[in-house]
Amino acid sequence: MLLLLGAVLYRGYGISWDEFTDHNLGNVTANYVARRLVPARWQSRLPTDPRVLWLPTSGIIHGPVVETPAAVLGRLLYPQQPRGYYAVRHGFVFLVFAAGVAALYGLGRLRFGSRRLALLGAALLVLSPRFAAEAFYNGKDVGFMALFTVAMLALAWLARRPAAGRALLAAGATGLAIGVRMPGIILPAFALGWLGWQAWRAGPGPARRRRLGVAGLYAGATVGATVLCWPYLWESPLANFRYALLVMSHVPWPGTTLYWGRLLPAPALPWHYLPVWIVVTTPVPYVLAALVGAGVAVRQLWQNQKSGGWATQLDCLFLLWLLAPLVAVIGLRSVVFDGWRHLYFIYPALLLLAVRGVQALAHRWGPVLRGPGRWRRGLVGLALGLVALDGGRTLWFIVRAYPNQQTYFSCLPNATAERLFERDYWGPSYRYGLEWLLRHDPSPIITVTGPQPAIIYVNLFALSPAQQKRIRLIDSPAARYYLTAYRWHPQPYADSLGPEVLAYRPGGGIKALSIFRRDSLRRPLPPAPIGRAPLP
């Protein structure tokens, strides 16, 4: 059902800020791999672009594991058709996300031994509004989250029954995750620490030697898998990896981000930036259930610290998965921006702890619902009703806000969220604005501009060739329409800009996009637009 839903929806999404660059990274990597591995006499038959040169620095911060297959599929299925490239990319990114959903289900089965609870964890991920949109175009953060979850499932299989085959499988999954984003280096730390702890508990003997041997095999295979999955490392693996790690730890982005109503430099954001963004963009019941689950897990870890059973080990893993990256980023003052997308990969751990909280509450509330005490049953029923009400509200928003669910805020009034935080920082809502203009303005040429013309330009790729011919993007006050997604502009625009002809609120939430018509301008169209959209 999830795959069928993705097949129905994937063509409806706009194009985000980073997709042009990400797609180019896939093209560059495909060309490089073809030139290195394919015999020269066959290279002319490959779906690569000989004009694209290999740029060794293009894959420093982000690896090409998701982008390369998407770029190759795009060129195979839609040669010389940028609109088709991005549609294929959206579909492929969603397939990667679906793999992460399946891996989350697998971890739930391992921990809870229940299909229902495992399906609950997977459903919570699918019914997370921001992920409902970004699962189609955010190949870096959502793709990394999915492959990180797959790798965590492989590590759990390895820890449960150490064997050479499972070590190679876990190493391959780890290499794929690191080949998307550098924080994947946390995975070997988790794996080697887990296997080392098991070897220490096993005591001297064959069991310890087997675990240590499997750990060594995993470590060696992980190095090979990482180099294989990340062509940037092929020329000089050690030096390039060290440089990429240095760049990743302090991303050189000097821009500003809107947080709590103030424009702040990204390197100077306060420590509470990430926790606040997590809370205000995650459905409230998920957060509350995760807090309960974390509390129950910590208490049982303290009580069962000597036993070290399988459930205890997984609870410890989920807590480390959730908290260690968050504490590390805050402690090291790493540069983050645009919400908490850089830490999306900890979200599955939060959901698994939420399921743990649901399990604990069900165990505690079950006897109350069946036993005496009308007021207790009433309180429990009221709590369940509120949770069901919020769940219905979340599902209704996902349906109504399609294809711009990335504008969801959970616990803030719309006016407050608009004033305090960035709105559509990814920019796919510009596609909706362009299509709205094409439907409501019969002019043969429609001139548009905005505070960030680049994102309007990128979303031209989502339109048909006939629609693109009617849109003329110009960087001039002579443009008839002004489009804005309020990324760095929380306050209302001045009346002198013209009347607001569209106030787009996806799902009845925040105002994500406005279009202003400049009625006072009656100048002739400028002769030269910014440019036609070239092939990516």
Side-chain angles (χ1 to χ4, degrees):
M1 290 178 61
L2 179 63
L3 294 177
L4 288 174
L5 187 65
V8 171
L9 300 179
Y10 78 100
R11 287 185 176 272
Y13 288 89
I15 300 176
S16 63
W17 270 102
D18 293 351
E19 284 192 76
F20 190 95
T21 303
D22 293 340
H23 191 77
N24 185 60
L25 172 61
N27 276 334
V28 165
T29 306
N31 277 271
Y32 175 73
V33 171
R35 293 176 184 179
R36 289 292 302 268
L37 302 182
V38 177
R41 63 180 183 276
W42 293 349
Q43 290 186 14
S44 61
R45 305 179 184 178
L46 297 175
T48 57
D49 188 347
R51 296 170 300 174
V52 179
L53 300 177
W54 167 244
L55 304 176
T57 59
S58 63
I60 289 179
I61 299 177
H62 305 297
V65 164
V66 174
E67 301 302 335
T68 302
V72 173
L73 283 174
R75 288 200 171 276
L76 284 171
L77 298 176
Y78 294 96
Q80 306 300 311
Q81 299 179 50
R83 188 185 189 191
Y85 295 167
Y86 290 106
V88 168
R89 182 183 182 276
H90 290 175
F92 186 80
V93 171
F94 184 79
L95 287 177
V96 176
F97 170 75
V101 174
L104 181 61
Y105 170 82
L107 284 167
R109 284 294 304 272
L110 285 177
R111 170 57 184 87
F112 304 109
S114 165
R115 288 185 177 180
R116 291 183 179 181
L117 291 176
L119 281 172
L120 175 62
L124 293 181
L125 179 54
V126 174
L127 297 178
S128 298
R130 293 208 167 219
F131 289 87
E134 294 188 42
F136 289 90
Y137 52 78
N138 187 354
K140 290 194 293 291
D141 305 306
V142 173
F144 177 61
M145 178 200 71
L147 293 180
F148 193 97
T149 308
V150 170
M152 290 295 274
L153 176 60
L155 294 183
W157 285 342
L158 174 61
R160 190 168 192 178
R161 193 168 71 239
R166 295 190 175 204
L168 295 177
L169 177 65
T174 301
L176 286 173
I178 298 175
V180 180
R181 287 195 58 198
M182 278 291 290
I185 59 176
I186 299 172
L187 288 164
F190 283 163
L192 297 178
W194 198 356
L195 292 172
W197 178 82
Q198 288 183 339
W200 174 77
R201 282 183 57 86
R208 173 179 287 184
R209 290 195 295 271
R210 182 174 67 254
R211 282 174 168 78
L212 292 177
V214 166
L217 175 62
Y218 165 80
T222 295
V223 173
T226 301
V227 174
L228 179 64
C229 293
W230 197 354
Y232 170 70
L233 303 179
W234 289 6
E235 304 291 342
S236 180
L238 184 58
N240 286 351
F241 185 84
R242 290 177 59 187
Y243 182 68
L245 183 62
L246 176 66
V247 173
M248 184 274 297
S249 60
H250 292 87
V251 178
W253 194 74
T256 59
T257 185
L258 178 64
Y259 176 66
W260 220 251
R262 299 170 58 199
L263 284 172
L264 301 174
L269 290 171
W271 67 268
H272 48 76
Y273 177 80
L274 290 171
V276 167
W277 263 103
I278 292 173
V279 170
V280 300
T281 58
T282 302
V284 174
Y286 301 7
V287 177
L288 296 178
L291 290 174
V292 173
V296 171
V298 169
R299 185 185 65 185
Q300 293 193 348
L301 283 173
W302 179 258
Q303 294 174 348
N304 305 325
Q305 53 184 317
K306 294 184 178 179
S307 63
W310 177 243
T312 302
Q313 293 180 44
L314 286 177
D315 283 345
C316 183
L317 178 68
F318 298 159
L319 288 169
L320 287 174
W321 181 0
L322 175 65
L323 297 176
L326 185 60
V327 172
V329 169
I330 294 174
L332 296 174
R333 300 185 64 83
S334 298
V335 176
V336 293
F337 47 91
D338 293 341
W340 61 289
R341 65 184 184 86
H342 298 93
L343 285 180
Y344 277 178
F345 68 96
I346 70 174
Y347 191 55
L350 184 147
L351 297 181
L352 288 165
L353 290 172
V355 175
R356 181 70 182 91
V358 170
Q359 183 188 46
L361 292 173
H363 179 75
R364 185 176 183 85
W365 287 355
V368 173
L369 289 173
R370 294 188 297 269
R374 182 178 301 176
W375 67 273
R376 291 184 178 180
R377 292 198 303 270
L379 288 176
V380 172
L382 177 62
L384 292 176
L386 291 175
V387 170
L389 184 64
D390 190 84
R393 169 180 167 269
T394 300
L395 178 59
W396 184 237
F397 177 86
I398 291 174
V399 174
R400 288 188 63 202
Y402 170 80
N404 287 291
Q405 302 97 328
Q406 76 278 3
T407 59
Y408 171 80
F409 283 91
S410 61
C411 55
L412 295 176
N414 292 336
T416 303
E418 292 171 1
R419 178 171 53 85
L420 298 182
F421 298 100
E422 293 178 333
R423 304 188 199 179
D424 183 19
Y425 55 75
W426 277 118
S429 61
Y430 280 97
R431 174 182 176 175
Y432 180 91
L434 293 172
E435 291 175 338
W436 187 91
L437 284 175
L438 290 166
R439 291 194 304 268
H440 291 84
D441 190 330
S443 305
I445 298 295
I446 302 172
T447 56
V448 298
T449 190
Q452 293 94 38
I455 189 61
I456 304 176
Y457 173 77
V458 167
N459 272 277
L460 289 174
F461 291 125
L463 306 179
S464 68
Q467 291 175 321
Q468 288 187 34
K469 290 179 180 178
R470 292 185 57 202
I471 298 290
R472 181 175 295 181
L473 174 62
I474 60 175
D475 190 10
S476 167
R480 181 165 176 77
Y481 294 101
Y482 187 90
L483 284 68
T484 176
Y486 298 96
R487 183 177 183 181
W488 292 295
H489 197 289
Q491 66 272 23
Y493 280 83
D495 294 339
S496 59
L497 194 60
E500 185 179 24
V501 295
L502 173 65
Y504 177 41
R505 296 180 176 272
I510 65 169
K511 186 193 291 186
L513 180 80
S514 287
I515 299 180
F516 298 90
R517 187 179 67 238
R518 298 177 167 184
D519 282 339
S520 61
L521 297 172
R522 300 301 183 191
R523 307 171 191 173
L525 296 181
I530 285 180
R532 292 296 180 191
L535 294 177

